[in-house]
Amino acid sequence: MSGNHFQEASPSLFRFDPAADDVQPVDLPARGASEPSYIKDHRARLRDRFMQGGAAAMPDYELLELVLFRAVPRQDMKPVARRLLDRFGDFNRVLSAEPARLADVEGVGPAIITELKIVAAAAQRLARSRVIQRPVLTSWAALLDYCHTAMAHGEIEQFRVLYLDRKNVLIADEEQAKGTVDHVPVYPREIVRRALELNASAMILVHNHPSGDPTPSQPDIDMTRRIVQAAETMSITVHDHLIIGKDRELSFRASGLL
């Protein structure tokens, strides 16, 4: 975002213009005029309820409103939150939606998209901090939480590799590829080459199924076997391949596929 030049402007409210990219300003009659009391009171009530009861005390649309408050001041965000949830289904899928699809929703422009992506990145960063540079096999629940946070609600398939050292400490988490709603290209040689660069001794493969069903396809099984074979030639162990669905995951090792 550019911000090289600033100038003082009179206070403004906001309104929707479906033909515009974002919320449009509407000048208030006088400098220093406050936002309408019903909006101010509503925002205060939501913030108080969040601080007292946390996210568990709020439905998705209200939690989403709280996020949108920061992007667009002085406007009722409930209609925008409702439209986002109607389009994407739940709070997590809103945060995970591709920017181009978010922009198709009436009233959603760059400021809102940026705010949503900041929240999504913060959630991933927090979950990642609980597993990076730690022994993965003794913090498996935290690893699964991280994988779900990062991938469970994506609209396209993503393939990640978690690289481990000789003590099974997670030394790198890298997205190898993005694909379509039901396919992602994976290159075993590149995965093994990167493991050698990192001096990794083991790997955990992870990819998501946007359909929500983590059942592996035959191409998933075949691809995993090719990666295992390529890794074995360099004495690198593949501990597991996790497929992340919306509400659960599937482990190749636990399922007898690895």
Side-chain angles (χ1 to χ4, degrees):
M1 295 178 62
S2 62
N4 298 329
H5 303 285
F6 296 89
Q7 66 181 32
E8 191 172 313
S10 59
S12 60
L13 281 174
F14 292 79
R15 62 176 171 80
F16 285 133
D17 180 353
D21 289 335
D22 208 340
V23 179
Q24 301 298 307
V26 177
D27 289 335
L28 287 172
R31 178 179 297 278
S34 61
E35 62 190 320
S37 60
Y38 76 92
I39 293 178
K40 183 178 180 180
D41 292 346
H42 175 65
R43 292 186 173 207
R45 284 194 299 271
L46 286 189
R47 291 188 179 108
D48 287 345
R49 192 153 78 250
F50 176 76
M51 293 306 297
Q52 292 172 11
M58 312 185 79
D60 277 2
Y61 78 89
E62 289 186 338
L63 189 61
L64 190 52
E65 278 188 82
L66 284 174
V67 174
L68 300 182
F69 287 170
R70 291 175 52 82
V72 183
R74 300 183 181 180
Q75 181 177 300
D76 183 5
M77 286 285 95
K78 185 181 295 184
V80 182
R82 292 285 195 183
R83 283 195 287 270
L84 284 166
L85 291 170
D86 287 345
R87 176 70 62 87
F88 299 106
D90 60 33
F91 183 84
N92 293 318
R93 287 186 179 272
V94 171
L95 294 185
S96 302
E98 293 296 311
R101 292 201 64 206
L102 288 168
D104 285 339
V105 177
E106 180 186 353
V108 175
I112 287 176
I113 293 171
T114 299
E115 196 68 28
L116 293 172
K117 291 306 168 186
I118 289 172
V119 174
Q124 291 186 25
R125 188 71 60 90
L126 177 62
R128 185 175 182 269
S129 71
R130 294 170 176 156
V131 294
I132 197 71
Q133 297 299 329
R134 298 187 184 187
V136 166
L137 301 184
T138 58
S139 55
W140 195 248
L143 177 70
L144 294 179
D145 285 344
Y146 168 61
C147 291
H148 277 277
T149 299
M151 304 176 72
H153 304 282
E155 296 180 304
I156 59 175
E157 284 201 15
Q158 304 170 45
F159 191 91
R160 309 179 81 90
V161 181
L162 310 181
Y163 294 99
L164 314 176
D165 67 11
R166 294 186 181 185
K167 295 182 179 180
N168 288 319
V169 170
L170 179 60
I171 56 175
D173 157 37
E174 298 186 352
E175 183 181 272
Q176 295 293 316
K178 288 185 176 181
T180 64
V181 295
D182 59 3
H183 172 73
V184 61
V186 178
Y187 304 99
R189 288 183 181 179
E190 290 300 309
I191 292 171
V192 173
R193 179 187 63 79
R194 182 59 177 153
L196 294 173
E197 290 177 352
L198 294 167
N199 198 28
S201 297
M203 300 183 290
I204 296 173
L205 313 175
V206 190
H207 86 278
N208 65 315
H209 277 182
S211 68
D213 180 2
T215 303
S217 65
Q218 190 59 48
D220 290 337
I221 296 171
D222 294 341
M223 174 266 293
T224 303
R225 288 173 178 165
R226 290 197 299 271
I227 295 174
V228 170
Q229 290 169 0
E232 283 178 343
T233 63
M234 297 296 174
S235 300
I236 298 170
T237 302
V238 177
H239 281 313
D240 209 340
H241 182 176
L242 301 173
I243 300 182
I244 306 299
K246 182 178 179 180
D247 301 310
R248 61 187 179 92
E249 74 285 336
L250 178 137
S251 160
F252 269 50
R253 185 165 295 281
S255 300
L257 298 170
L258 188 63

